[in-house]
């Protein structure tokens, strides 16, 4: 009797394991193309998107995923204007975002990583360095589970998801990466018509410096894009170059030094006080601390492509601090984000659009 019971139990476990394996494989088959497309849009490795989606949505079978296409458990936060759904999580009846499609969920997840300060360092890793991404997510506090990184790595390696980090969405559409959908098989066991792993490696791979034949290219790290650059003067400008001038968003600025004022900097660059105050979104003169960024030309209305938004990391940020950081005007931020006051309150995880 006990032996029969053990056999039945083993059989049930085998069936359940096979079902779980099938569910995960179906998830990969269905969403690999979207994950690769997101990689070229945002810089988040396809393997990371797929592994997190598999883990956090139960291979797309969780109630949240089925009801609202939310595959990453992203909550509403203060700025969400879309549809909502409610589940018990850290507290009872919490608000979660409801998406019109899984692709929309993927995009929101990528934006969350790319534009929130605590995760930006991840984009300095290569998209093929999935282990650094996994451990980096854990270090940045993405999940409280101490084994979160190792779980992601196991999923990526069990299903060879790392192979997707070297493919293009075009290759996925054409089936040239099809062998990836059959983990555990030998190359000779790939289904008829599917490209082998060896053949896939011979395809022209993509990198930040070498776009593929479809001209897809991984976007530059947001931290690299935010780095100020040395100012290269134009012949039409007669700036005093006795001090170092930098640019942010191609707008020249200087760092204030001990004892300087807005008036003294204005004088140095042949500006009126009201001009330099306007360039820095100040309505009136104020004390100037050493190290403060002071723009000496008008800021722009939008940032470069790839710095599309800023996600507030902590309460207390202001529209002006964001405007100064990215070299854009407060007025443009207000207009683009539907805000009526430059003093509008901002809260953690609010998304401030920096360009259309």
């Amino acid at each position: 009797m006990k032996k029969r019971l053990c056999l039945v139990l083993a059989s049930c476990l085998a069936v359940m394991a096979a079902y779980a394996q099938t569910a995960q494989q179906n998830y990969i088959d269905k969403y690999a193309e979207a994950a690769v497309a997101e990689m070229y849009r945002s810089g988040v490795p396809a393997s990371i998107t797929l592994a997190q989606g598999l883990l956090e949505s139960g291979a797309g079978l969780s109630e949240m995923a089925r009801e609202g296409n939310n595959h990453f458990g992203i909550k509403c936060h203060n700025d969400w204007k879309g549809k909502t759904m409610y589940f018990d999580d850290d507290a009872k009846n919490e608000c979660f975002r409801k998406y019109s499609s899984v692709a929309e969920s993927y995009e929101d997840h990528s934006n969350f990583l790319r534009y929130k300060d605590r995760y930006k360092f991840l984009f300095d890793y290569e998209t093929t360095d999935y282990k650094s991404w996994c451990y980096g997510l854990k270090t940045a506090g993405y999940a409280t589970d101490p084994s979160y990184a190792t779980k992601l790595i196991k999923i990526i390696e069990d299903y060879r998801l790392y192979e997707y980090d070297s493919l293009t969405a075009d290759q996925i559409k054409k089936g040239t990466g099809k062998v990836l959908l059959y983990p555990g098989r030998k190359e000779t066991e790939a289904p008829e018509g599917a490209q082998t792993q060896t053949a896939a490696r011979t395809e022209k791979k993509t990198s930040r410096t070498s776009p593929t034949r479809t001209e897809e290219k991984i976007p530059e790290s947001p931290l690299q894009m935010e780095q100020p650059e040395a100012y290269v003067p134009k012949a039409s400008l007669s700036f005093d170059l006795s001090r170092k001038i930098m640019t942010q968003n191609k707008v020249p600025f200087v760092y204030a030094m001990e004892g300087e004022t807005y008036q003294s900097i204005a004088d140095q660059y042949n500006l009126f006080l009201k001009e330099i105050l306007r360039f820095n979104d100040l309505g009136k003169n104020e004390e100037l601390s050493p190290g403060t960024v002071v723009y000496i030309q008008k800021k722009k209305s939008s940032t470069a492509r790839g710095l599309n938004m800023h996600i507030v990391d902590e309460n207390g940020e202001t529209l002006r601090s964001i405007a100064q950081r990215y070299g854009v005007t407060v007025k443009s931020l207000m207009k683009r984000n539907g805000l009526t006051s430059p003093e509008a309150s901002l809260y953690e995880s609010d998304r401030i659009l920096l360009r259309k």
Side-chain angles (χ1 to χ4, degrees), residues 31 52 61 74 110 145 167 172 178 193 208 256 294 332:
Y31 300 119
Q52 286 192 284
L61 299 176
I74 298 180
S110 299
D145 182 356
L167 295 178
I172 298 297
K178 190 70 173 178
R208 287 189 173 87
V294 179
S332 67

Side-chain angles (χ1 to χ4, degrees), residues 11-148:
S11 178
C12 289
L13 289 173
V15 170
M16 290 172 63
Y19 177 77
Q21 180 90 352
T22 301
Q24 289 183 317
Q25 193 60 69
N26 287 342
Y27 186 94
I28 297 166
D29 292 0
K30 194 170 184 180
Y31 300 119
E33 184 183 332
V36 172
E38 265 306 296
M39 178 171 66
Y40 286 96
R41 187 194 71 85
S42 69
V44 178
S47 62
I48 295 297
T49 300
L50 287 169
Q52 286 192 284
L54 279 163
L55 182 61
E56 295 177 32
S57 73
L61 299 176
S62 71
E63 188 177 359
M64 194 179 299
R66 288 183 288 105
E67 248 186 61
N69 290 316
N70 191 330
H71 284 221
F72 303 94
I74 298 180
K75 297 180 182 179
C76 294
H77 301 298
N78 186 64
D79 67 328
W80 179 245
K81 304 291 192 300
K83 293 181 179 180
T84 60
M85 51 189 172
Y86 294 85
F87 296 94
D88 293 345
D89 191 49
D90 297 327
K92 266 185 88 70
N93 207 34
E94 287 195 274
C95 182
F96 289 85
R97 300 183 179 196
K98 191 172 185 178
Y99 302 103
S100 59
S101 66
V102 175
E104 189 179 334
S105 174
Y106 274 28
E107 181 176 338
D108 209 21
H109 167 259
S110 299
N111 288 341
F112 183 77
L113 296 182
R114 182 170 179 84
Y115 298 117
K116 198 160 188 176
D117 282 346
R118 71 182 69 174
Y119 300 114
K120 286 183 178 180
F121 73 93
L122 293 170
F123 294 84
D124 286 337
Y125 298 131
E126 292 296 325
T127 51
T128 52
D129 188 2
Y130 65 90
K131 288 185 178 179
S132 291
W133 272 82
C134 291
Y135 287 118
L137 283 167
K138 180 64 185 73
T139 300
Y142 188 93
T144 56
D145 182 356
S147 59
Y148 187 75

Side-chain angles (χ1 to χ4, degrees), residues 139-171:
T139 300
Y142 188 93
T144 56
D145 182 356
S147 59
Y148 187 75
T150 54
K151 286 179 179 178
L152 289 182
I153 290 170
K154 185 176 190 316
I155 291 171
I156 290 170
E157 293 182 346
D158 282 353
Y159 290 89
R160 300 209 310 270
L161 300 182
Y162 49 79
E163 292 283 358
Y164 286 108
D165 298 335
S166 296
L167 295 178
T168 68
D170 189 52
Q171 286 174 311

